[in-house]
Amino acid sequence: MITICLGGCAPEQIDYAHFEHIANDTWLHDMPLRFTPQWSDSTAQHQLLVTVRHTQHYPHGNLPMVVDLIGADGHVKRHRLNMHITDGHGNWVGKGFGTLYQCQTTVSRDVTGIDAQRVVVWLNLDSCQSVTGITDIGITLIKN
């Protein structure tokens, strides 16, 4: 019984994680972030997550993004995300303390290296040319 309980508490196996720093904490609408994941097994299914680090100066309650997965054959699979940065009362939902918070959301639960040789993350705010308070954007691959 203890063995079963301990197995349930095992940490997820992160196969890859990488962050890109946003210069001057300002993410521009026309500044896509490009990632080239390193796959330990290109045929195994992984969960792909996007992580955002932000300061208290981020002015919105959410962060709309587009994430393009570019496969080995050049095929693009587009995912539209709307990451919640605050709850319904304006409180930060991310983890962190002080002036830096981190939020994470799942892009897909069944991605392989064949499906996503490259990952491109775009800001998707039509009404703004840039947003302030974003310090880093990253992707993480967790083996299923």
Side-chain angles (χ1 to χ4, degrees), residues 63-138:
L63 179 61
M65 295 176 279
V66 171
V67 179
D68 291 333
L69 308 181
I70 304 170
D73 60 358
H75 176 76
V76 177
K77 185 170 184 182
R78 179 159 281 183
H79 297 266
R80 295 183 188 281
L81 305 175
N82 188 18
M83 180 181 286
H84 294 283
I85 303 294
T86 63
D87 63 16
H89 302 287
N91 301 309
W92 302 116
V93 296
K95 297 176 182 176
F97 56 90
T99 61
L100 192 60
Y101 296 89
Q102 180 170 301
C103 298
Q104 193 171 56
T105 192
T106 301
V107 175
S108 180
R109 296 186 185 280
D110 58 354
V111 177
T112 68
I114 296 166
D115 302 327
Q117 288 200 339
R118 289 179 290 147
V119 177
V120 183
V121 181
W122 300 82
L123 176 62
N124 191 27
L125 276 172
D126 293 332
S127 60
C128 300
Q129 292 303 310
S130 65
V131 292
T132 58
I134 302 294
T135 62
D136 303 276
I137 305 287

Side-chain angles (χ1 to χ4, degrees), residues 18-66:
H18 182 77
F19 281 85
E20 289 292 328
H21 180 69
I22 306 297
N24 301 319
D25 297 348
T26 302
W27 193 9
L28 303 174
H29 188 268
D30 60 352
M31 186 179 79
L33 300 169
R34 294 175 174 86
F35 300 90
T36 306
Q38 304 301 308
W39 297 84
S40 61
D41 180 353
S42 64
T43 60
Q45 289 193 338
H46 289 73
Q47 182 177 4
L48 173 65
L49 302 109
V50 170
T51 304
V52 173
R53 293 180 183 148
H54 66 90
T55 68
Q56 294 175 335
H57 300 291
Y58 182 71
H60 306 283
N62 64 333
L63 179 61
M65 295 176 279
V66 171

